[in-house]
Amino acid sequence: MSEPESGAQRPLGIGIVGVGGIAESHMAALREVADGRLAAVCDIAADQARKIGEREGCAAYGSVEELLADPGVEAVIVCTPNFTHEELGHQVLAAGKDLLMEKPLALTPSGARRLRAEAAERGLALMVGHSHRFSDQGLAIKEAIDAGAIGTPRFVRVALNGGWIWPGWQHWVLNPAASGGHSFHNGVHLTDLACWWMGEQADTVFSAGQHATSEALQIFDYLVVGLGFPSGGSAICEISRGDNPRNAAYAEITVVGTEGVIAREWDAEGILAWLDHGLAQWAPDGVGARTFIREMQSFVDGVRGTKTVVPPVDYAVHAVDVAAASEESLVTGESIRIGAAA
Amino acid sequence: MSLTPVLLAGTVGMGEQNHQAHMWAPNLAQAGLAPEAVWTPPSVDDLAMRRAEELACACGVELQVSETPTTSAAGAIVCLRGAERTAFAAFAAEHGLPLLLDKPTLDSTAQLEQFAAEADALPVMAGHHFASHPGFARILTAVRGAEIGLLRAVHTDLVTGGGESSDIGELRNLGVHLLELTRLLTGPAAVRLQAHGVANGSAWSFLGSTDRGVVVSHHTSRASAGHPVVQQLRAQVRVTGTHGFLTLDLTKPRLEVRTVHGTAPVAYAGSSVVAHLTKFASLTHGAARTAPATDFVVISRALDGIAASAESGNAASITW
């Protein structure tokens, strides 16, 4: 981690590897975080990196090696397809840079553990982009739980359903070899929330899925992951990209405790829009942006060593354990036990 | 309008719970039914005997305490457990008396097998009144009419706040309500599932998939057990089809009366209990049909399978 300097610190120089969709959210967040700055971007699509560099006023490179050699880059955010995470993560850490890895940390439990070990050995911050932990609703639920509002949590239901599907058969998320499957790509968000709110790591995973949009899909665009916890509690995490109507966006969160229930109903944001194509739930402006700003601030704080990264890296490793078990369960139809705690 | 006479058979429940007096009897008239008499076998405990006396007095009808009742009722609402329930089934079968059986799965599968054998072909409705909830009836029509295409998923949650903990666990006490709804939506199915439960039986969940690939999940629990105020903290059914999805809050239809003192719910458009009793009235007239009593055995075995999965930590295959 970067050594604190005396007096006012200069903003942390951050490089972004991969300038696809999620990178835009991180760049927008960096504009709002005073003690961080975008130092450089890189992408194998060098022209795209150059355009972004010009727009953002930062250095731009066509390779990660060039970005890591830039002395202005103190920490790195990896925003590339899932299958590249482990290798790129090792490159970043080997270069002595702190790392914010987009989720998932890796596509195998052993790979996740290798990254954790390397970061620890080098004394570098390793954070994984489980951004839902920073959402308004996610934090509010956690605060209510921690305040004892519902007693001891023993069941979580998270449903984040919609009909938007990744476009084109060439998209890497639809390729399980590249994305790891839906358990890795989106499932980790939900299962991480469930573990966070339950306050423990899962010990069993059982999943059910459907190829809702097309039988030709190789990932389950409709995925439900069931978690069992050592306490006897459980969670059901449902993510869909195959719902009809296609423009639907249904969100429901329920946390049940020994003394009550926290319910985030589908219309919790309070804005309903009746449009030509049907009913929609809108969120107030800034909801999404706040999530990424909080995440970015957390990363900067973690790099500075003033706070622990969120989620703790053990939970990020556990999210990979759960995702791997979920994909195995989808194939075998069996409940998969997770061995040693992450 | 003349009311159809029914026998109120037994006042046994789960602990302090007294469905005969607090749920069924007060809603009879709205369903076109009237109590003919309250009957109880003499073998019940003092609490049940006292309840029977109080109920007969409240209803202004005769109290019968005997091995078998003397009745000319068109049907009977049964709040008994175990051997007394089974014995009454034999009496009802002999006299062709249709039954509304409160909480069938308070008895074990073995006991329900005996009950079904005694009831034989007698029409017996389970007291699972959510099955007659007007909103559920509507979504069942929607699913069976393919209004949301073909069924893809059913997710149900039921969290009861307050009240007495079940002596047999909340899966057989409360969870059976959700299982009944899920089963009505999916139809008979083989289900591969994994269940979980907390050690004292107060919270359960399962996730599974039917042989037609319909994803099913379920959570049932009781929060704040022992609190005197009982209310549904969560009672939801969510159904996804190939061409749309539906959500149903079983605590509605209801208005909210909001004042500076708080928000008070006001139900309207009839309760699921009245709707269920109305269906039972139709059954007594021969205007409705119901599954044979062996159906209770099917659902009880399914609950056994769910509990076994939770206990073992392994996935299980069940049918419902």
Side-chain angles (χ1 to χ4, degrees), chain B residues 219-263:
Chain B
H219 171 74
T220 298
S221 64
R222 184 181 297 277
S224 291
H227 193 279
V229 178
V230 181
Q231 59 181 316
Q232 302 298 343
L233 302 179
R234 185 83 174 162
Q236 173 157 299
V237 178
R238 185 158 49 86
V239 179
T240 302
T242 54
H243 290 72
F245 59 95
L246 303 163
T247 64
L248 168 64
D249 184 342
L250 291 163
T251 69
K252 296 178 179 175
R254 69 162 188 247
L255 306 174
E256 290 185 348
V257 180
R258 299 172 184 169
T259 69
V260 293
H261 304 293
T263 300

Side-chain angles (χ1 to χ4, degrees), chain A residues 201-235:
Chain A
Q201 295 186 351
D203 59 2
T204 62
V205 181
F206 180 86
S207 291
Q210 296 170 348
H211 301 128
T213 303
S214 168
E215 274 302 316
L217 281 168
Q218 292 181 294
I219 69 164
F220 292 91
D221 55 342
Y222 180 70
L223 171 68
V224 189
V225 183
L227 304 179
F229 295 92
S231 65
S234 55

Side-chain angles (χ1 to χ4, degrees), chain B residues 145-235:
Chain B
E147 292 179 58
I148 56 167
L150 285 171
L151 186 65
R152 284 182 41 223
V154 180
H155 302 286
T156 56
D157 293 326
L158 179 62
V159 181
T160 298
E164 190 176 0
S165 296
S166 168
D167 57 355
I168 56 166
E170 300 300 352
L171 180 63
R172 297 185 76 84
N173 182 40
L174 298 175
V176 65
H177 282 281
L178 297 185
L179 197 64
E180 183 79 74
L181 302 187
T182 302
R183 196 171 66 129
L184 284 165
L185 290 163
T186 65
V191 185
R192 182 75 173 163
L193 60 79
Q194 174 67 60
H196 301 280
V198 299
N200 66 2
S202 63
W204 299 83
S205 73
F206 71 76
L207 168 65
S209 187
T210 75
D211 46 355
R212 288 191 171 88
V214 177
V215 175
V216 290
S217 76
H218 164 125
H219 171 74
T220 298
S221 64
R222 184 181 297 277
S224 291
H227 193 279
V229 178
V230 181
Q231 59 181 316
Q232 302 298 343
L233 302 179
R234 185 83 174 162

Side-chain angles (χ1 to χ4, degrees), chain B:
Chain B
M1 185 183 81
S2 63
L3 301 176
T4 301
V6 291
L7 178 70
L8 304 181
T11 52
V12 175
M14 184 200 72
E16 296 293 319
Q17 196 173 69
N18 185 1
H19 274 181
Q20 192 73 282
H22 299 146
M23 193 167 81
W24 301 120
N27 290 294
L28 292 175
Q30 288 188 73
L33 300 168
E36 178 206 51
V38 174
W39 167 81
T40 184
S43 52
V44 297
D45 62 19
D46 292 346
L47 175 64
M49 189 63 73
R50 188 172 70 249
R51 286 171 168 178
E53 292 166 0
E54 291 170 354
L55 180 59
C57 183
C59 294
V61 298
E62 174 193 12
L63 170 66
Q64 296 182 25
V65 181
S66 56
E67 292 300 327
T68 56
T70 302
T71 181
S72 57
I77 299 173
V78 183
C79 292
L80 293 167
R81 292 175 74 167
E84 287 144 348
R85 179 195 274 184
T86 302
F88 186 73
F91 169 83
E94 186 180 338
H95 293 81
L97 194 64
L99 302 182
L100 174 60
L101 181 61
D102 186 70
K103 295 207 170 183
T105 53
L106 291 185
D107 279 357
S108 68
T109 299
Q111 289 169 316
L112 285 168
E113 286 171 341
Q114 294 173 4
F115 177 89
E118 295 293 351
D120 195 20
L122 188 70
V124 187
M125 267 177 64
H128 301 145
H129 57 89
F130 282 140
S132 299
H133 184 285
F136 182 76
R138 179 66 187 90
I139 71 168
L140 186 59
T141 300
V143 168
R144 291 180 174 174
E147 292 179 58
I148 56 167
L150 285 171
L151 186 65
R152 284 182 41 223
V154 180
H155 302 286
T156 56
D157 293 326
L158 179 62
V159 181
T160 298
E164 190 176 0
S165 296
S166 168
D167 57 355
I168 56 166
E170 300 300 352
L171 180 63
R172 297 185 76 84
N173 182 40
L174 298 175
V176 65
H177 282 281
L178 297 185
L179 197 64
E180 183 79 74
L181 302 187
T182 302
R183 196 171 66 129
L184 284 165
L185 290 163
T186 65
V191 185
R192 182 75 173 163
L193 60 79
Q194 174 67 60
H196 301 280
V198 299
N200 66 2
S202 63
W204 299 83
S205 73
F206 71 76
L207 168 65
S209 187
T210 75
D211 46 355
R212 288 191 171 88
V214 177
V215 175
V216 290
S217 76
H218 164 125
H219 171 74
T220 298
S221 64
R222 184 181 297 277
S224 291
H227 193 279
V229 178
V230 181
Q231 59 181 316
Q232 302 298 343
L233 302 179
R234 185 83 174 162
Q236 173 157 299
V237 178
R238 185 158 49 86
V239 179
T240 302
T242 54
H243 290 72
F245 59 95
L246 303 163
T247 64
L248 168 64
D249 184 342
L250 291 163
T251 69
K252 296 178 179 175
R254 69 162 188 247
L255 306 174
E256 290 185 348
V257 180
R258 299 172 184 169
T259 69
V260 293
H261 304 293
T263 300
V266 178
Y268 69 94
S271 74
S272 57
V273 174
V274 171
H276 208 56
L277 284 168
T278 302
K279 186 177 175 187
F280 181 59
S282 297
L283 189 72
T284 65
H285 300 145
R289 298 177 64 186
T290 189
T294 50
D295 196 50
F296 300 149
V297 178
V298 173
I299 204 162
S300 185
R301 285 184 182 141
L303 293 170
D304 290 343
I306 292 166
S309 170
E311 186 171 352
S312 69
N314 295 322
S317 296
I318 66 169
T319 57
W320 64 45

